[in-house]
């Protein structure tokens, strides 16, 4: 089980102060819980009085999801301060930890992820709350004891599960050392076996339930007596059967009273159904979830506007354990009638990948969109009112998704202005934002490194951003520290090498040449792909590029370029191998697939510094009588996003070529070069420079891009309109830091005077 109370987020984990999170932390959550976060005072619920959504915070690695939960934990279950301890019934569970450490699998038939989480919830939510008492979970506890108590003879893993869960559910026994086990707690309730015989394992669940029901001190009211407890399970079974038969809710008669001698047995029936597995197990898990929500509703916190609501924080619900639990909760809430709805506040976090349109998979499926009926809101929209109401009958309609937005450039500038005495390149804030794409943790650490160096140096340039050292770490690169946090160091060299690959096949080519070892028992490329997909750095087997997230890919590519990654594989050798791979593949393909491989061939040649070869090809394609301007621009756009080669001279040389300051040198080297080829050369270098995250495309360079595209539009036989539209829109997109647009419908468009459409 995960720890009920975790440490406060450290300085490096905290969200930047300028990050817009206050509408969530200080407005929406207090309205949900019903208790002010800074004062021990109830507040009226102005929304969600009858139906509560699951609040889902989604974002990439390092966007502050766990830090937000840490902030809420310190507000509502602090370790110290004026109100130490839980101020509301509180639980926090990390689903990743549950999945990693729980004993779950085919060989362990008395446990599952849902059972593991429910046991943890009962344990945490049962803690006393000053001024309000405590929640009790008689229905849930009895059902869980029935499920976990059965075990097969000789199965030590199942015995450990039974001992651990039973000790947690039954509570500590005073003066008992060592810790209690199932035998010490429940064996006395077993039937006495014949002399010399051993207890019948099938009797274990009933014995555990009978032991629990015999603890009379647990029942503080007649409603929670064992008769009502057994009757609740019988009522649930009858209602489930009627639902399967198509009868309306409430159509069944009340179940017959369960005799006292049969109550433990009636609850213990859960065990047999659970151990049959598959759909039977899912049905039992649904019953246990219903018991849990019923216990929450009928506890001392049942009156939603008179006492604060219980608060559950679920971290990493994108995992199998988190998805299983959340699906059960949402399915039950979708079936609840108005009178039976629970008042449990659930705030969850999930990991989602880069939402870049260029890499996003347009095919909606359960993996990419597990909650299709969910309502989406931005953080600034939920300050005074969330606007959420259940709009459908699907389980996912009970989800309110709050995507955690990236930082703006103004946030980065604020981080850099913490010390008025430092000086650095004015463009560096834009460079940090373009590189990180507003990633909060990445921006924070890079800004810390910039300010740290600026305090000892006279000037810090954007070009050296990725080569700065980490503050407080002698000689350690800030880039290495970032990568170690985001993906770990175990497969660092392989990921650096694979960051150059466009797809799985290209990564396999690299692995076949330079990576003989296996990753997670799979060939290197396959193992890395599984790891990347699991952590949402890529989008599955067909992911293009191989590493989809642009921020992570930029970090890994720079490690490779600087020689600090790739196990010593030479930058130029890797690009030569991949260029040949795409050239051969382009020869065997046609249409869009062939064009994509041709663009990737040029991409790798340009990354290797062979700019003249790329210019020759682009010019030859431009002057073809049957050349398609849209295809040509597509290849140019893809090629220009190639990473720069190693060395610091690229920044100056590429900018000079793009601005036309080396036209005379080109003419001297090739007296036969024409104006068209010179324009292609300038345009390629200008776009290549503008595409680099650390390079500043100034006004002169932006204007030159528009001028060269306008000149080429007049020279192309069939693509005048397409190139003219690009001449208007690409400079604007470069200036604004946006993706360069390209649409085939431009073939029929004619630009208006002044560049307006």
């Amino acid at each position: 089980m995960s720890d009920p109370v975790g440490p406060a987020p450290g300085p490096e984990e905290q969200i930047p102060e300028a990050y817009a999170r206050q509408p969530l932390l200080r407005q929406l959550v207090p309205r949900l819980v019903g208790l002010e976060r800074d004062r021990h005072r109830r507040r009226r619920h102005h929304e969600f009085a009858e139906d509560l959504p699951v609040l889902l915070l989604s974002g990439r690695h390092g966007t502050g999801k766990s830090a937000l939960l840490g902030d809420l934990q310190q507000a509502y279950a602090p370790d110290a301060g004026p109100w130490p301890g839980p101020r509301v019934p509180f639980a926090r569970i990390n689903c990743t930890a549950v999945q990693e450490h729980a004993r779950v699998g085919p060989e362990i038939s008395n446990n599952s992820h849902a059972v593991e989480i429910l046991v943890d919830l009962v344990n945490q939510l049962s803690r006393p709350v000053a001024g309000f008492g405590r929640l009790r979970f008689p229905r849930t506890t009895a059902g869980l004891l029935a499920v976990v108590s059965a075990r097969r003879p000789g199965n030590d893993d199942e015995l450990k599960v039974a001992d651990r869960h039973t000790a947690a559910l039954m509570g500590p026994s005073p003066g008992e050392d060592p810790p209690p086990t199932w035998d010490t707690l429940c064996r006395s309730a077993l039937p006495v076996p014949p002399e010399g015989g051993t207890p019948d394992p099938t009797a274990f669940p009933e014995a555990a339930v009978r032991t629990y029901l015999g603890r009379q001190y647990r029942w503080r009211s007649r409603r929670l007596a064992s008769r009502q407890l057994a009757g609740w399970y019988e009522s649930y079974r009858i209602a489930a059967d009627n639902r399967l038969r198509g009868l309306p809710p409430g159509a069944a008669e009340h179940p017959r009273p369960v005799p006292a001698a049969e109550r433990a047995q009636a609850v213990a029936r859960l065990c047999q159904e659970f151990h049959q597995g598959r759909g039977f197990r899912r049905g039992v898990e649904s019953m246990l979830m219903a018991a849990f929500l019923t216990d929450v509703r009928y506890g001392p916190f049942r009156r939603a506007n008179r006492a604060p609501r219980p608060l559950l924080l679920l971290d990493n619900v994108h995992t199998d354990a988190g998805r299983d639990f959340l699906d059960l909760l949402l399915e039950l809430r979708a079936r609840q009638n108005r009178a039976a709805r629970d008042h449990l506040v659930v705030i969850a976090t999930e990991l989602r990948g880069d939402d870049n349109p260029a890499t996003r998979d347009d095919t909606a499926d359960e993996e990419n969109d597990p909650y299709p009926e969910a309502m989406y809101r931005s953080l600034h929209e939920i300050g005074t009112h969330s606007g959420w109401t259940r709009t459908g009958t699907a389980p996912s309609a009970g989800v309110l998704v709050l995507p955690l937005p990236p930082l703006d450039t103004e946030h980065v500038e604020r981080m850099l202005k913490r010390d008025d005495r430092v000086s650095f390149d004015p463009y560096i804030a834009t460079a940090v934002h373009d590189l990180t794409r507003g990633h909060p943790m990445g921006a924070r650490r890079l800004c810390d490194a910039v300010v740290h160096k600026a305090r000892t140096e006279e000037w810090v340039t954007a070009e050296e951003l990725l080569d700065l050292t980490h503050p407080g770490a002698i000689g350690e690169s800030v880039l290495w520290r970032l990568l170690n946090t985001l993906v770990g160091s175990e497969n660092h060299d392989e990921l650096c090498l694979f960051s150059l690959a466009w797809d799985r096949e290209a990564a396999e080519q690299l692995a076949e040449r330079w990576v003989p070892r296996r990753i997670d028992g799979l060939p290197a490329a396959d193992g890395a792909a599984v790891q990347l997909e699991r952590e949402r750095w890529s989008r599955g087997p067909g992911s293009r590029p191989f590493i989809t997230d642009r921020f992570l890919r930029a970090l890994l590519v720079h490690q490779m370029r600087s020689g600090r990654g790739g196990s010593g594989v030479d930058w130029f050798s890797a690009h030569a191998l991949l260029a040949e791979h795409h050239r051969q593949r382009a020869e065997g393909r046609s249409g869009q697939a062939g064009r994509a491989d041709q663009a990737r061939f040029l991409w790798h040649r340009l990354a290797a510094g062979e700019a003249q070869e790329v210019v020759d090809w682009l010019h030859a394609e431009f002057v073809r009588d049957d050349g398609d301007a849209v295809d040509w621009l597509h290849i140019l756009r893809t090629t220009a996003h190639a990473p720069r080669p190693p060395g610091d001279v690229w920044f100056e040389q590429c900018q000079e070529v793009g601005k036309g300051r080396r036209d005379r040198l080109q003419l001297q080297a090739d007296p036969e070069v024409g104006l068209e080829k010179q324009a292609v050369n300038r345009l390629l270098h200008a776009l290549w420079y503008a595409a680099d995250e650390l390079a500043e495309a100034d006004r002169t360079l932006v204007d030159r891009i528009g001028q060269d595209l306008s000149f080429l539009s007049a020279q192309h036989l069939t693509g005048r309109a397409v190139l003219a539209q690009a001449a208007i829109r690409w400079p604007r997109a470069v200036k604004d830091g946006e993706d360069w647009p390209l649409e085939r419908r431009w073939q029929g468009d004619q630009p208006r005077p002044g560049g307006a459409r």
Side-chain angles (χ1 to χ4, degrees):
M1 294 182 292
S2 58
D3 295 334
V5 178
E12 290 186 341
E13 299 172 329
Q14 290 185 5
I15 307 170
E17 181 184 353
Y19 198 33
R21 55 177 178 161
Q22 301 310 314
L24 169 70
L25 298 177
R26 298 189 174 274
Q27 294 175 291
L28 178 60
V29 174
R31 295 201 308 270
L32 279 166
V33 175
L35 191 70
E36 299 285 354
R37 60 175 285 129
D38 297 324
R39 291 173 291 177
H40 200 62
R41 187 180 71 179
R42 303 186 188 100
R43 62 179 298 168
R44 296 178 59 85
H45 299 308
H46 297 292
E47 58 179 324
F48 311 126
E50 298 296 337
D51 194 8
L52 288 173
V54 170
L55 196 62
L56 187 60
L57 311 177
S58 68
R60 300 153 62 196
H61 278 287
T63 51
K65 302 180 299 297
S66 297
L68 278 170
L69 298 191
D71 184 285
L72 292 173
Q73 178 173 332
Q74 290 303 311
Y76 291 102
D79 295 326
W83 308 290
R87 302 172 57 209
V88 299
F90 176 87
R92 179 178 180 180
I93 294 178
N94 186 341
C95 297
T96 299
V98 171
Q99 186 156 312
E100 290 176 352
H101 303 300
R103 294 177 177 270
V104 174
E107 68 282 356
I108 302 176
S109 61
N110 63 341
N111 200 20
S112 69
H113 289 136
V115 168
E116 193 81 26
I117 292 177
L118 282 172
V119 171
D120 207 349
L121 286 179
V122 168
N123 196 27
Q124 293 190 47
L125 290 172
S126 297
R127 291 178 294 171
V129 179
F132 299 110
R134 71 167 71 197
L135 285 176
R136 298 186 183 276
F137 298 88
R139 301 168 185 82
T140 318
T141 302
L144 288 171
L145 284 172
V147 166
V148 305
S149 293
R151 58 185 184 273
R152 292 166 290 186
N155 192 314
D156 292 338
D157 288 333
E158 290 182 349
L159 175 60
K160 291 177 181 177
V161 167
D163 288 344
R164 178 164 56 89
H165 286 340
T166 303
L169 292 168
M170 297 289 280
S173 298
E176 193 163 346
D177 187 27
T181 63
W182 189 95
D183 284 342
T184 59
L185 292 169
C186 305
R187 180 170 287 272
S188 60
L190 285 171
V192 179
E195 186 175 352
T198 58
D200 183 4
T202 60
F204 290 175
E206 184 177 344
V209 176
R210 184 178 296 110
T211 301
Y212 179 73
L213 295 180
R215 293 193 170 188
Q216 295 298 327
Y217 68 87
R218 288 183 174 271
W219 316 123
R220 300 296 180 87
S221 69
R222 186 174 60 84
R223 177 178 292 277
L224 299 181
S226 61
R227 177 168 58 86
Q228 277 76 17
L229 188 150
W232 182 90
Y233 276 100
E234 292 300 308
S235 298
Y236 183 91
R237 289 190 177 98
I238 292 175
D241 290 341
N242 288 334
R243 187 173 62 253
L244 293 176
R245 289 174 5 208
L247 295 178
E253 298 180 358
H254 293 290
R256 65 176 181 83
V258 181
E262 300 177 10
R263 290 169 188 167
Q265 183 181 2
V267 178
R269 284 173 51 193
L270 287 170
C271 179
Q272 181 181 0
E273 299 167 7
F274 185 86
H275 286 255
Q276 289 177 358
R278 296 188 179 272
F280 295 99
R281 173 171 294 189
R282 189 66 173 177
V284 173
E285 290 175 341
S286 182
M287 192 183 305
L288 292 172
M289 177 64 75
F292 171 75
L293 296 180
T294 303
D295 285 335
V296 170
R297 175 170 177 75
Y298 287 108
F301 294 81
R302 60 180 297 191
R303 304 179 71 177
N305 287 324
R306 294 287 301 277
R309 292 163 170 166
L311 176 61
L312 168 59
L313 306 181
L314 286 176
D315 212 353
N316 298 315
V317 295
H318 59 276
T319 60
D320 291 340
R323 184 76 60 82
D324 286 349
F325 180 85
L326 206 55
D327 286 349
L328 284 170
L329 175 66
L330 293 172
E331 288 169 6
L332 282 169
R333 283 187 167 180
R335 296 202 304 259
Q336 287 175 343
N337 56 46
R338 181 171 181 177
R341 286 173 179 162
D342 65 276
H343 296 115
L344 178 68
V345 177
V346 181
I347 301 177
T349 69
E350 71 161 355
L351 181 63
R352 291 202 178 181
D354 186 6
D355 288 331
N356 170 30
T359 58
R360 184 171 55 240
D361 189 353
D362 293 330
T363 303
D365 55 28
E366 183 179 356
E367 190 66 27
N368 294 325
D369 190 11
Y371 311 109
E373 301 296 325
M375 181 176 290
Y376 284 74
R377 287 288 184 269
S378 61
L379 283 181
H380 74 273
E381 289 180 308
I382 49 90
T384 57
H385 193 276
S386 70
W388 181 88
T389 55
R390 188 181 293 272
T391 57
T393 59
S396 61
V399 178
L400 174 60
V401 181
L402 294 180
L404 298 182
L407 300 180
D408 295 330
T409 306
E410 290 79 2
H411 294 135
V412 179
E413 292 173 348
R414 181 174 176 180
M415 295 182 208
L416 291 169
K417 291 178 181 178
R418 73 188 73 171
D419 191 339
D420 296 334
R421 297 169 296 176
V422 301
S423 59
F424 38 76
D425 189 339
Y427 175 69
I428 209 163
T430 304
V432 170
H433 185 267
D434 290 348
L435 173 67
T436 63
R437 315 198 70 80
H439 190 279
M441 185 189 71
R444 166 66 73 183
R445 293 195 180 183
L446 288 171
C447 288
D448 288 345
V450 169
V451 174
H452 175 73
K453 183 172 183 179
R455 287 169 177 165
T456 58
E457 302 279 342
E458 293 184 358
W459 190 255
V460 180
T461 65
E463 300 170 9
E464 59 182 325
L465 187 62
L466 288 173
D467 296 312
L468 298 175
T469 58
H470 189 275
I474 300 177
E476 184 180 32
S477 167
V478 67
L479 178 56
W480 167 259
R481 179 66 69 90
L482 267 173
L483 287 173
N484 193 36
T485 301
L486 295 175
V487 294
S489 59
E490 183 178 2
N491 302 313
H492 172 265
D493 287 334
E494 289 76 15
L495 292 177
C496 288
L497 184 61
F498 293 152
S499 68
L500 306 181
W502 170 241
D503 53 21
R504 176 79 69 89
E505 190 175 342
E508 290 171 352
Q509 292 288 319
L510 293 169
E512 182 179 347
R513 176 77 175 273
W514 285 298
V515 190
R517 79 180 189 91
R518 300 172 74 84
I519 296 177
D520 293 339
L522 299 172
D526 295 334
V530 171
Q531 176 188 351
L532 291 167
E533 183 181 2
R534 182 175 62 246
E535 298 299 323
R536 304 299 194 270
W537 296 119
S538 73
R539 300 189 182 279
S543 177
R544 294 185 177 184
F546 185 71
I547 299 176
T548 310
D549 190 275
R550 291 188 284 182
F551 175 44
L552 176 64
R553 192 168 70 249
L555 300 181
L556 292 168
V557 165
H558 188 74
Q559 281 287 84
M560 189 71 191
R561 176 171 46 226
S562 61
R564 295 191 293 262
S567 298
V569 178
D570 180 63
W571 169 274
F572 299 99
S573 300
H575 282 289
L577 175 69
L578 293 175
E580 180 62 19
H581 163 70
H582 285 288
R583 186 192 65 78
Q584 293 179 3
R585 208 161 66 170
E587 291 177 352
R589 297 182 174 183
S590 60
Q592 184 177 356
R595 183 190 68 184
D597 276 308
Q598 185 62 55
R600 282 294 145 184
F601 164 75
L602 297 174
W603 188 92
H604 287 291
R605 297 305 293 157
L606 189 61
E610 301 296 336
Q612 189 57 51
E613 177 184 348
V614 176
V615 170
D616 291 342
W617 190 94
L618 288 172
H619 177 253
E621 286 295 306
F622 181 84
V623 298
R624 281 178 52 183
D625 293 342
D626 59 345
D628 186 292
V630 175
D631 288 347
W632 188 83
L633 281 176
H634 176 89
I635 293 177
L636 173 65
R637 183 176 64 176
T638 301
T639 304
H641 281 83
R644 65 182 183 276
D648 296 331
V649 298
W650 177 88
F651 287 95
E652 180 180 356
Q653 291 181 357
C654 188
Q655 186 176 197
E656 288 183 349
V657 174
K659 292 180 177 179
R661 296 172 182 171
R662 295 203 171 198
D663 285 355
R664 181 174 297 180
L665 294 177
Q666 184 188 20
L667 185 61
Q668 292 175 354
D670 184 8
E672 301 299 325
V673 67
L675 295 178
E676 292 173 355
K677 192 170 185 179
Q678 282 187 319
V680 170
N681 184 49
R682 288 193 302 267
L683 180 61
L684 173 66
H685 282 81
L687 291 173
W688 191 18
Y689 186 85
D692 191 273
E693 297 89 351
L694 304 185
E696 179 183 12
D698 57 21
R699 180 63 179 270
T700 303
L701 193 75
V702 170
D703 290 345
R704 193 73 204 198
I705 292 173
Q707 293 166 10
D708 284 327
L709 283 169
S710 294
F711 171 77
L712 291 174
S713 72
Q715 313 304 315
H716 201 278
L717 295 177
T718 60
R720 178 181 179 276
V722 173
L723 290 163
Q725 290 291 347
I728 296 171
R729 303 189 184 187
W730 281 23
R732 188 185 307 159
V734 169
K735 178 183 177 182
D736 296 338
E738 300 173 352
D739 294 326
W740 312 333
L742 178 58
E743 300 178 20
R744 189 165 290 277
R745 67 177 179 83
W746 291 356
Q747 289 174 325
D749 291 348
Q750 294 296 329
R752 296 177 182 177
R757 286 287 305 160

